[in-house]
Amino acid sequence: MQTETTPGTMLKTMREKPPLVQCITNYVAMNIAANVLLASGASPAMVHAAEEAGEFAGIANALTINIGTLSTQWIAGMHAAAKAANAAGKPWVLDPVAHYATAFRRSATADLLALNPAIIRGNASEIIALAGGESRGQGVDSRDPVEQAEESARRLAEQQRAVVAVTGAVDFVTDGERAVRVAGGSALMPQVTALGCSLTCLVGAFAATAPEDLFGATVAALATFAVAGEDAALGAAGPGSFSWRFLDALAAIDAETLDARARILPA
C-alpha cells in the first residue's frame, strides 16, 4: 500500500518515534553517519560482525549495507543481516560503493543484489555499471552526470523491483514507474568524506519510518539532505566548517521548513 505523505510528515514521525537503524557501513563513514542519524532524529547502530549482525537485523527497524571498506568477514555479516531483515519484513538499503573496481567487489555486490535490497543508492557511475552499462567511474568517485544514469536507474529498478536513487548535483529517484528529481544541496558536499554514505543510512531511517512507501521515504531523505546542505553552505568558509554546520542544519530542520523548501520535481 502506498500513502501520500510529505517529507515533512515523515520527518516529524521519525522524530516522534526514532527508528533503530542497523548501519553496516565503512570505517570512514561510521562516525559521520551515526551523527547524521542522531541529528535527524533516528537511532544508529553500527553492528557488522557475522556473529551478531543477523540477530540484530531482526531487532532493528531497517538495515543499510555499504561496501566501502569490504572484507570477507564483513561480507558474512552483510549476508546474515540482509537475510534476517528479509525474514523479518524489514527494509534494507544497498550502497554499492565502487562495486565495479575489483572482481572481489563485483562478486560481493552480485551476491547482495540476489538478496533483494528494497532500495539501492549510489552515484551515477555506480548505478550505470550496476545496470550493465559502461561508466567512467574511478574508485569511489563518479565521473558521470546524474542525468546520464537515469535510464540505467529505471532499468535497474525494474530488474531488482527496488527503489533506485542516483545522487549528485540533482538527485534522481525511481521505482521503475514513478520518477522524480530532487534539487538543492551544496557544491561543498562532495568535499566532505562519507556524506554520501551517511545519506544511505538516512534513507534507511526514513524507510523504517514509512515502510509502506519506500519511494516517498527515499525522496524524503534526499530532500532533507538537500535542504540541510543549502543551509550549511550559507556560513561555511570551506568543507571543514561546512561539515559541522551540516549536522547543525539537519538538527534544526522542522517539518514545515522541509515541506516548504524541498524541491521535488517530476522526471
Side-chain angles (χ1 to χ4, degrees):
M1 185 179 72
Q2 294 170 348
T3 57
E4 294 298 326
T5 53
T6 67
T9 300
M10 290 186 189
L11 179 64
K12 185 172 184 290
T13 300
M14 183 169 71
R15 286 175 169 166
E16 289 172 348
K17 190 176 180 180
L20 177 61
V21 184
Q22 181 178 358
C23 304
I24 302 180
T25 192
N26 61 75
Y27 292 116
V28 179
M30 284 186 185
N31 183 270
I32 182 63
N35 284 333
V36 161
L37 287 194
L38 290 170
S40 302
S43 179
M46 277 48 189
V47 178
H48 64 266
E51 292 81 0
E52 65 172 344
E55 182 180 357
F56 199 90
I59 300 169
N61 301 111
L63 164 71
T64 68
I65 294 178
N66 173 301
I67 69 165
T69 49
L70 200 58
S71 73
T72 301
Q73 292 78 15
W74 279 42
I75 290 173
M78 292 171 181
H79 287 181
K83 290 174 182 176
N86 287 339
K90 309 290 179 64
W92 74 275
V93 187
L94 175 63
D95 188 339
V97 179
H99 66 90
Y100 44 73
T102 66
F104 183 51
R105 287 176 177 274
R106 290 192 292 273
S107 175
T109 302
D111 290 343
L112 289 168
L113 284 175
L115 294 174
N116 302 314
I119 304 167
I120 301 167
R121 189 216 69 84
N123 63 39
S125 295
E126 290 162 349
I127 297 303
I128 290 170
L130 207 59
E134 292 290 330
S135 80
R136 295 185 298 156
Q138 182 176 348
V140 300
D141 297 324
S142 179
R143 300 293 180 91
D144 300 286
V146 171
E147 56 269 23
Q148 198 163 316
E150 291 184 0
E151 284 308 310
S152 294
R154 292 180 195 270
R155 187 164 62 252
L156 183 62
E158 291 171 356
Q159 290 170 352
Q160 290 291 141
R161 296 183 179 178
V163 175
V164 176
V166 189
T167 53
V170 177
D171 304 327
F172 178 79
V173 184
T174 182
D175 60 3
E177 296 181 1
R178 297 169 292 173
V180 298
R181 297 185 182 95
V182 182
S186 164
L188 287 170
M189 295 175 86
Q191 299 180 47
V192 179
T193 189
L195 273 194
C197 303
S198 302
L199 175 54
T200 297
C201 295
L202 187 61
V203 169
F206 275 93
T209 300
E212 75 287 350
D213 183 12
L214 295 178
F215 178 83
T218 303
V219 173
L222 271 55
T224 302
F225 238 57
V227 172
E230 289 177 339
D231 287 347
L234 293 176
S241 55
F242 177 89
S243 182
W244 65 260
R245 290 176 189 275
F246 182 72
L247 290 176
D248 284 354
L250 276 176
I253 293 174
D254 57 30
E256 294 74 18
T257 298
L258 179 56
D259 283 341
R261 292 181 50 201
R263 288 188 277 157
I264 302 166
L265 310 169

